[in-house]
Amino acid sequence: MMESALTARDRVGVQDFVLLENYTSEAAFIENLRKRFKENLIYTYIGSVLVSVNPYKDLEIYSKQHMERYRGVNFYEVSPHIYAVSDNSYRAMRTERKDQCILISGESGAGKTEASKKILQYYAVTCPASDKVELVKDRLLQSNPVLEAFGNAKTLRNDNSSRFGKYMDIQFDFKGAPVGGHILNYLLEKSRVVHQNHGERNFHIFYQLIEGGEEDLLRRLGLERNAQQYQYLVKGNCPKVSSINDKNDWKTVRKALTVIGFSEDEVEELLNIIASVLHLGNVQFAGDEAGNSQITTETQIKYLARLLGVEGTALKEALTHKKIIAKGEELMSPLNLEQAAYARDALSKAVYGRTFSWLVNKINESLSYKDPIYPGRKSAAVIGLLDIYGFEVFQHNSFEQFCINYCNEKLQQLFIELTLKSEQEEYESEGITWEPVQYFNNKIICDLVEEKFKGIISILDEECLRPGDASDITFLEKLEDTVGGHAHFVTHKLADGKTRKVMGREEFRLLHYAGEVNYNVNGFLDKNNDLLFRNLKEVMCQSENKILTQCFDRDELSDKKRPETAATQFKNSLAKLMEILMSKEPSYIRCIKPNDAKQAGRFDEVLIRHQVKYLGLMENLRVRRAGFAYRRKYETFLQRYKSLCPETWPNWNGRLADGVAILVKHLGYKPEEYKLGRSKIFIRFPKTLFATEDALEVRKHSLATTLQAAWRGYGQKSKFQKLRASAILIQAWWRGILARRKAARRRWAANTIRRFVKGFIYRQQPRCPENEYFLDYVRYSFLMNLKRNLPKTILDKSWPVPPPALAETSEQLKKLYVQNMVWSYCKRINPEWKNQLEQKVVASEIFKDKKDNYPQSVPKLFVSSRLSNEEVNPKVIQALGNEKMKYGVPVTKYDRKGYKARPRQLLLTQNCAFIVEEAKLKQRIDYSALRGISVSSLSDGLFVLHVPCEDNKQKGDVVLQSDHVIETLTKVAISAEKVNNININQGSIKFTVGQGGKEGIIDFTSGSELLIAKAKNGHLSVTAPRLNSR
């Protein structure tokens, strides 16, 4: 609600200027605007009038969600917004069955056109819809881009300035759906067609056609894609604007024309006219010897003849001659250069102006409402939108500003009358005495302008019509003679010395309601006459262009009556507009431009003060505040503030008026501060409301604390009761479950024990119902026990003992499990490990249970060689040649005769074994010549390599000792393929000494330590400790 925002008034101002304490201060008014503008709050009320400041940026306040927020809501229940005004008018139309109108005013660039668009969009989204209604909605929305293209232009103040006034009726059926519309246009700025000030542009449609038109279209129209080629488009020296995309806008306009219902032929003829205006601007004249004008641009005449559908020679003559009727005779008078240029420009303005009127009528045809059941019946209700120029004061003010400001005087007069009328009606309906309000009645100014025979418009018309040399100066002189004594009229001649310094001799000043404005009379007569030479009219009436035949009626030629002047036409249309507005319930939107640079966030106080003055906002506020600043229905007021009085809190059950009376008495309101009406309370001063709102803000804290405590207590109590009830329910439920589970377990246990005992009794008998459970349990127990105690490795031979019935099954399972473990183990081993295992298997075959130190060798890995390449002499490697060393080990060799120990190296290759002494190959033993290998069963490392004694290369069997005897002999046996030729002897080993066949003997005995020495009997004695008992 509006009241809820009052606590933040220091930061964001008040939402309604009526609540300003110092309401007569313009500075306070503007400061409130500034506060809200800085917070992006662009809307503020003056009572029911909406003041809108153009933000010059997109604000996220126009979404569908925002529309729904304002739909059907009381005007003051939500923050100020254009949607609130739109919805309020719509609901008033529906409930009161009375036509409404929304008057949008403000100077160029203040956002009037955008405001009217927002209103149309709001109705398009929120009103009931059907297929037919959707078509009407589309046409209403699409009429905007078409009218903007033909009636808007870039000015110094606004890139999309409406250069005409527009009143649009939106027609609704009995369901509240938009079913039609009608547009009235006022005072199109036709002079812009032929002239633009520096930095301004012609109407948008010309640039859109040149930038967006297809190549074929431009070629047919004889146009180039360059605005600089056309005289009517170069005078402002501003062909392109950064904020305008003419190419995209052209597509939008073409689409809109189709939606509205223009046929292709109509669009073609319309574009022909637009192109013809550009060609007219390029028609050039030159003077002959007599000073008469001659056309020098024949090409343009050819294009014009084709585009306008007229005879080229007739057009050429009409542009250079003037038809004069004297005493019933028609004479052709040649035109000089200045007159010919005037005729050309007059034709351009007339063609464009009348085409614009035709365009508006065409749009009206497409929007017209026809009841399908009762075609003659009008629509149920209407909402009018008036988007019209605001009060204008420029450095140089001319005829257009005079008409515009006259229009604003009339609107201000209407506004004050209707505002006072609505205020008076509300006071009377509530039974409150109406106090007359002092205000400036601008009827005196309106009469000065429009009064018959004495008004400025009458004098202007009279000067235009009188014979003789009438001019703008003679018009000014006549004004001085006729209205010179008027209190609101001043000229240079009539002014005092101080005023003369700021006024030109060709100016007159009017003291408008909004301030003083100086008008320059130059051009007043020409613009008021707005004449088109008769022969030009005749040519246009002969046009084959169907649009122009409607614009230039042939009846004009036969009508002897002089057409009304522009000022009179405007005065009459304005009078009709006033009648329309008086017949409707008005709402007002006042638009303000924050700066001339079109910059977001910039607040130009001087410019805004100027607009506040010219929009009459302070006068409006003063009238609204003349009585009571605030009024609300009893129900709303009591509902908001009842907590401030113990008697009305928390609920009041009596009459609302009595409740409000008790409440204000408790709050200490003085009798002069308020009045109680029939259904509303009226508060005179904003400070009274502010004090009440501040008291409510303080009261809210204690209320919040009380409510929080009560709510928390209630919440905790409710929570405890729920928890307690839930706990009892869960406990009962859980106890029942536990009891049922316990009974079920006991029953199951008894049955299990009974079956187990019976099965144990019958366990020796064949399977039968009595023992099947017991047997199954025994099997299950065994299998589960087996699952828990399966062997972890291949070497683990443990296996649970099976019951008799599963003995065979157990064996099968054991066999399968072992196979699986072996398979898994084999799958995991790599080639190196496989080779290691193969060697260990060979060692096991040879030495297991035969050689005493074999068990100690089992956990030790065999290495690929006990000698590295650095330990073998390079000469030996060179001597080996192609024989690559597979294994090398340091050994001790015992001589055959004296058994002297000598260090040697045993090298194994692919085909033979070598015994090496440092760098010499002492002996080569081919594997094929190796007859066998002998080794003792003790833990010593001696072994004998038996070679044939017939071999001259050999010197007998070789006696060697190795610290790694198991590994060495395994390598030799595998390399020589002599696994089965290794003899493990007990007691002694015989070996051959030399080539003579003499034998040597090695005796082996057990002892405490290893001793190797020659015995007295000549044998080699080896004593070795026993490591394992066999």
Side-chain angles (χ1 to χ4, degrees):
M1 291 179 67
M2 183 185 72
E3 293 88 340
S4 62
L6 291 177
T7 52
R9 60 186 179 272
D10 290 338
R11 179 173 61 85
V12 300
V14 293
Q15 293 184 357
D16 193 335
F17 284 109
V18 171
L19 298 178
L20 278 177
E21 187 64 34
N22 192 4
Y23 70 92
T24 58
S25 168
E26 190 178 78
F29 188 98
I30 293 173
E31 181 58 28
N32 193 64
L33 267 184
R34 184 202 303 276
K35 285 180 181 178
R36 297 184 63 74
F37 183 72
K38 283 187 176 180
E39 297 292 329
N40 286 328
L41 301 171
I42 63 170
Y43 295 119
T44 314
Y45 291 137
I46 304 176
S48 60
V49 176
L50 181 70
V51 179
S52 169
V53 183
N54 192 341
Y56 286 122
K57 63 181 178 181
D58 290 329
L59 298 178
E60 301 297 324
I61 58 173
Y62 301 108
S63 63
K64 194 170 182 180
Q65 289 76 14
H66 279 84
M67 294 182 185
E68 291 299 329
R69 182 184 170 202
Y70 285 88
R71 184 178 183 182
V73 179
N74 186 279
F75 191 70
Y76 292 109
E77 284 184 18
V78 283
S79 55
H81 200 290
I82 196 167
Y83 292 160
V85 176
S86 307
D87 188 73
N88 196 53
S89 295
Y90 179 75
R91 284 189 293 112
M93 176 200 72
R94 296 275 287 141
T95 56
E96 298 172 16
R97 294 291 176 185
K98 187 168 183 181
D99 291 350
Q100 304 288 313
C101 64
I102 301 174
L103 280 64
I104 307 169
S105 61
E107 72 170 59
S108 181
K112 301 187 298 297
T113 303
E114 284 300 313
S116 63
K117 286 182 188 176
K118 298 300 181 200
I119 294 170
L120 284 174
Q121 288 168 0
Y122 179 80
Y123 291 145
V125 171
T126 58
C127 293
S130 66
D131 290 343
K132 185 177 184 304
V133 169
E134 285 299 328
L135 178 61
V136 173
K137 285 181 180 179
D138 287 343
R139 287 182 173 178
L140 280 169
L141 292 174
Q142 293 300 328
S143 66
N144 266 321
V146 174
L147 290 174
E148 284 183 15
F150 286 85
N152 289 24
K154 192 265 183 201
T155 65
L156 292 173
R157 296 187 174 192
N158 183 6
D159 289 348
N160 187 33
S161 175
S162 297
R163 307 316 299 160
F164 68 104
K166 179 179 69 173
Y167 175 78
M168 173 187 279
D169 269 336
I170 309 169
Q171 299 166 332
F172 296 84
D173 64 9
F174 70 96
K175 297 176 185 175
V179 291
H182 189 270
I183 298 168
L184 296 175
N185 65 297
Y186 300 96
L187 200 64
L188 176 71
E189 188 186 19
K190 294 185 289 185
S191 60
R192 181 168 295 272
V193 175
V194 300
H195 176 76
Q196 308 90 43
N197 294 326
H198 185 76
E200 297 190 349
R201 296 207 312 176
N202 210 321
F203 293 103
H204 293 323
I205 188 62
F206 295 112
Y207 305 93
Q208 292 171 3
L209 174 59
I210 288 173
E211 290 293 326
E214 299 79 6
E215 292 294 341
D216 290 344
L217 174 63
L218 294 182
R219 194 179 302 112
R220 184 180 63 77
L221 297 175
L223 299 178
E224 298 179 30
R225 202 180 293 282
N226 181 5
Q228 300 289 349
Q229 298 294 320
Y230 302 98
Q231 293 300 312
Y232 284 166
L233 304 184
V234 298
K235 295 185 180 180
N237 196 24
C238 184
K240 291 187 182 294
V241 183
S242 59
S243 64
I244 299 175
N245 189 326
D246 292 311
K247 195 170 184 179
N248 287 347
D249 291 345
W250 168 255
K251 294 176 183 176
T252 304
V253 170
R254 285 304 303 267
K255 180 184 174 185
L257 289 171
T258 304
V259 172
I260 292 170
F262 281 74
S263 67
E264 286 298 320
D265 289 342
E266 287 173 331
V267 172
E268 182 181 339
E269 290 182 335
L270 181 62
L271 296 180
N272 284 349
I273 295 171
I274 299 304
S276 70
V277 172
L278 293 178
H279 286 300
L280 266 172
N282 282 5
V283 171
Q284 300 295 320
F285 302 96
D288 59 12
E289 295 175 357
N292 300 327
S293 61
Q294 300 289 332
I295 293 176
T296 60
T297 48
E298 291 293 336
T299 307
Q300 304 299 332
I301 296 299
K302 291 179 182 177
Y303 279 128
L304 286 167
R306 179 167 59 82
L307 295 172
L308 295 174
V310 298
E311 287 289 334
T313 53
L315 177 63
K316 186 175 178 181
E317 184 180 18
L319 287 170
T320 55
H321 292 76
K322 177 181 179 183
K323 181 179 283 190
I324 300 173
I325 301 176
K327 297 180 180 179
E329 294 184 14
E330 292 185 356
L331 302 173
M332 296 299 291
S333 172
L335 302 176
N336 60 30
L337 291 178
E338 186 179 345
Q339 291 171 332
Y342 173 85
R344 176 198 62 198
D345 291 346
L347 179 60
S348 300
K349 291 188 289 184
V351 166
Y352 192 86
R354 297 190 187 202
T355 301
F356 184 78
S357 298
W358 174 88
L359 183 69
V360 172
N361 291 333
K362 179 66 180 176
I363 292 173
N364 286 337
E365 286 178 22
S366 74
L367 296 176
S368 63
Y369 172 68
K370 296 181 181 65
D371 193 306
I373 302 173
Y374 305 103
R377 188 172 70 179
K378 292 185 178 180
S379 61
V382 163
I383 294 179
L385 291 181
L386 180 63
D387 171 7
I388 203 157
Y389 11 66
F391 203 89
E392 288 190 353
V393 183
F394 299 137
Q395 192 73 29
H396 301 286
N397 302 291
S398 187
F399 179 76
E400 289 82 7
Q401 282 69 48
F402 173 75
C403 292
I404 287 170
N405 293 342
Y406 163 52
C407 173
N408 276 271
E409 285 287 355
K410 294 292 287 182
L411 289 173
Q412 177 70 5
Q413 184 184 23
L414 176 76
F415 173 67
I416 294 295
E417 286 179 7
L418 292 177
T419 302
L420 288 174
K421 181 182 174 185
S422 65
E423 285 282 290
Q424 189 172 358
E425 285 176 353
E426 185 175 15
Y427 277 50
E428 289 174 357
S429 68
E430 291 293 323
I432 293 177
T433 305
W434 170 252
E435 301 170 5
V437 178
Q438 297 299 321
Y439 68 97
F440 172 63
N441 189 343
N442 66 337
K443 183 177 185 300
I444 188 171
I445 302 174
C446 295
D447 288 345
L448 172 63
V449 174
E450 67 184 8
E451 190 177 3
K452 280 188 177 183
F453 310 119
K454 296 180 182 179
I456 293 174
I457 292 177
S458 294
I459 296 168
L460 178 60
D461 286 352
E462 185 180 329
E463 196 66 15
C464 288
L465 297 175
R466 78 174 176 84
D469 295 330
S471 68
D472 297 321
I473 299 300
T474 60
F475 162 62
L476 183 61
E477 291 170 350
K478 190 152 189 178
L479 283 179
E480 291 172 340
D481 295 339
T482 311
V483 295
H486 199 285
H488 294 268
F489 177 86
V490 179
T491 65
H492 185 276
K493 179 180 176 181
L494 300 174
D496 55 31
K498 186 178 178 181
T499 308
R500 285 182 179 181
K501 293 178 181 179
V502 293
M503 283 190 68
R505 294 183 182 276
E506 299 173 345
E507 291 180 341
F508 67 90
R509 175 182 292 179
L510 291 183
L511 279 65
H512 289 283
Y513 77 92
E516 301 170 346
V517 184
N518 294 344
Y519 297 101
N520 192 307
V521 295
N522 285 331
F524 259 61
L525 264 62
D526 282 344
K527 291 175 181 177
N528 187 46
N529 273 322
D530 194 23
L531 292 177
L532 186 65
F533 293 151
R534 182 180 180 83
N535 49 334
L536 281 173
K537 281 186 184 179
E538 290 174 351
V539 171
M540 299 314 296
C541 287
Q542 301 297 325
S543 171
E544 295 177 2
N545 186 303
K546 293 178 182 177
I547 296 176
L548 290 177
T549 56
Q550 296 175 55
C551 294
F552 291 89
D553 192 349
R554 299 194 180 198
D555 292 341
E556 285 185 49
L557 302 176
S558 58
D559 189 359
K560 302 296 183 182
K561 186 180 177 182
R562 184 183 176 93
E564 288 183 337
T565 61
T568 301
Q569 287 180 34
F570 185 65
K571 183 178 79 169
N572 294 339
S573 60
L574 201 54
K576 290 178 183 176
L577 176 63
M578 293 301 119
E579 288 178 18
I580 292 171
L581 297 179
M582 286 293 286
S583 68
K584 295 176 170 53
E585 283 290 325
S587 299
Y588 303 93
I589 299 174
R590 303 299 205 206
C591 299
I592 291 178
K593 180 168 65 171
N595 60 77
D596 276 328
K598 307 162 193 167
Q599 290 181 3
R602 182 177 162 190
F603 192 89
D604 187 337
E605 188 171 327
V606 174
L607 178 66
I608 289 173
R609 182 178 288 109
H610 173 92
Q611 293 172 83
V612 167
K613 180 181 179 183
Y614 289 156
L615 285 169
L617 298 183
M618 294 304 297
E619 182 76 2
N620 179 7
L621 176 57
R622 203 174 63 77
V623 170
R624 187 69 172 75
R625 271 292 302 271
F628 295 88
Y630 175 88
R631 72 276 323 253
R632 281 291 182 276
K633 287 190 174 294
Y634 287 146
E635 182 181 5
T636 305
F637 186 82
L638 192 61
Q639 181 64 31
R640 181 162 185 80
Y641 299 113
K642 64 181 180 180
S643 62
L644 297 176
C645 175
E647 295 178 55
T648 56
W649 176 257
N651 290 303
W652 173 258
N653 297 319
R655 288 175 62 244
L656 292 175
D658 297 339
V660 172
I662 291 171
L663 175 59
V664 297
K665 183 179 179 182
H666 179 81
L667 291 173
Y669 282 16
K670 295 177 182 177
E672 66 270 15
E673 290 181 340
Y674 75 98
K675 281 279 194 301
L676 296 179
R678 293 189 177 93
S679 64
K680 292 180 182 180
I681 178 173
F682 290 73
I683 297 176
R684 190 177 296 276
F685 307 115
K687 64 181 181 182
T688 307
L689 179 65
F690 293 162
T692 307
E693 192 63 32
D694 292 340
L696 177 63
E697 193 64 23
V698 174
R699 175 67 173 147
K700 279 179 182 176
H701 294 292
S702 62
L703 283 177
T705 305
T706 305
L707 289 172
Q708 284 175 347
W711 177 251
R712 286 170 181 162
Y714 172 77
Q716 291 299 322
K717 183 178 179 181
S718 300
K719 184 178 179 181
F720 170 75
Q721 289 175 342
K722 285 181 181 178
L723 287 173
R724 185 169 177 272
S726 300
I728 293 171
L729 185 65
I730 292 170
Q731 285 171 352
W733 177 74
W734 183 244
R735 285 182 187 131
I737 287 177
L738 292 178
R740 285 189 289 274
R741 284 182 182 176
K742 190 173 181 180
R745 279 201 303 274
R746 285 179 175 176
R747 192 160 46 248
W748 174 82
N751 290 335
T752 301
I753 293 169
R754 190 180 296 113
R755 285 190 293 169
F756 194 84
V757 171
K758 190 179 288 186
F760 182 77
I761 294 170
Y762 289 93
R763 67 185 182 281
Q764 302 298 339
Q765 296 184 15
R767 186 179 181 87
C768 62
E770 284 76 13
N771 64 8
E772 62 179 359
Y773 174 78
F774 179 80
L775 295 178
D776 289 344
Y777 177 77
V778 169
R779 290 170 181 166
Y780 174 78
S781 297
F782 168 71
L783 292 174
M784 295 307 294
N785 183 41
L786 179 61
K787 177 185 175 184
R788 290 189 294 271
N789 299 292
L790 285 170
K792 299 296 187 290
T793 66
I794 298 172
L795 300 177
D796 184 1
K797 303 299 182 182
S798 63
W799 191 264
V801 179
L806 294 176
E808 184 179 352
T809 303
S810 178
E811 284 301 317
Q812 290 294 331
L813 288 173
K814 183 177 181 181
K815 183 177 178 182
L816 288 170
Y817 183 72
V818 170
Q819 286 177 349
N820 185 60
M821 278 203 303
V822 170
W823 180 80
S824 298
Y825 181 79
C826 292
K827 190 176 178 181
R828 289 196 304 271
I829 61 176
N830 54 36
E832 293 79 9
W833 186 244
K834 182 178 180 183
N835 184 43
Q836 184 76 219
L837 291 178
E838 287 174 348
Q839 293 180 42
K840 288 289 186 179
V841 169
V842 171
S844 175
E845 291 177 4
I846 298 171
F847 299 107
K848 187 178 180 181
D849 299 329
K850 298 176 184 177
K851 180 74 172 166
D852 194 37
N853 59 350
Y854 169 72
Q856 282 70 34
S857 73
V858 171
K860 297 177 182 178
L861 296 178
F862 291 169
V863 298
S864 59
S865 178
R866 294 287 175 179
L867 295 172
S868 64
N869 289 336
E870 290 77 13
E871 292 176 295
V872 179
N873 195 293
K875 292 182 179 180
V876 173
I877 294 174
Q878 186 176 1
L880 289 176
N882 294 330
E883 294 285 346
K884 186 178 179 182
M885 183 180 76
K886 291 173 64 180
Y887 178 76
V889 64
V891 296
T892 303
K893 178 177 178 295
Y894 291 92
D895 291 344
R896 299 173 184 81
K897 294 182 180 180
Y899 300 121
K900 186 176 181 180
R902 300 182 186 280
R904 297 286 188 271
Q905 292 176 341
L906 176 63
L907 306 180
L908 303 182
T909 66
Q910 183 71 30
N911 300 311
C912 54
F914 292 94
I915 297 172
V916 177
E917 177 186 3
E918 294 181 357
K920 298 179 183 178
L921 294 177
K922 296 294 287 183
Q923 188 172 353
R924 172 187 174 129
I925 303 171
D926 291 332
Y927 294 147
S928 58
L930 185 63
R931 292 191 296 113
I933 304 169
S934 295
V935 66
S936 74
S937 62
L938 299 179
S939 62
D940 61 281
L942 261 71
F943 61 92
V944 178
L945 300 179
H946 299 286
V947 296
C949 58
E950 298 84 8
D951 191 348
N952 294 328
K953 296 180 181 180
Q954 307 295 340
K955 300 175 183 179
D957 294 343
V958 183
V959 179
L960 303 171
Q961 181 195 12
S962 172
D963 292 339
H964 310 281
V965 65
I966 302 297
E967 176 185 286
T968 302
L969 293 181
T970 301
K971 298 276 190 180
V972 172
I974 292 173
S975 298
E977 298 181 357
K978 301 291 184 179
V979 175
N980 297 323
N981 293 70
I982 296 180
N983 302 310
I984 301 174
N985 300 294
Q986 296 181 354
S988 62
I989 296 175
K990 293 181 180 181
F991 62 94
T992 304
V993 180
Q995 296 179 353
K998 185 179 177 182
E999 288 187 346
I1001 298 175
I1002 304 172
D1003 294 325
F1004 295 92
T1005 56
S1006 298
S1008 59
E1009 59 181 351
L1010 177 64
L1011 293 172
I1012 302 174
K1014 184 176 181 181
K1016 293 179 180 180
N1017 59 4
H1019 296 178
L1020 180 62
S1021 174
V1022 178
T1023 303
R1026 183 173 292 280
L1027 302 177
N1028 299 289
S1029 59
R1030 288 193 299 275

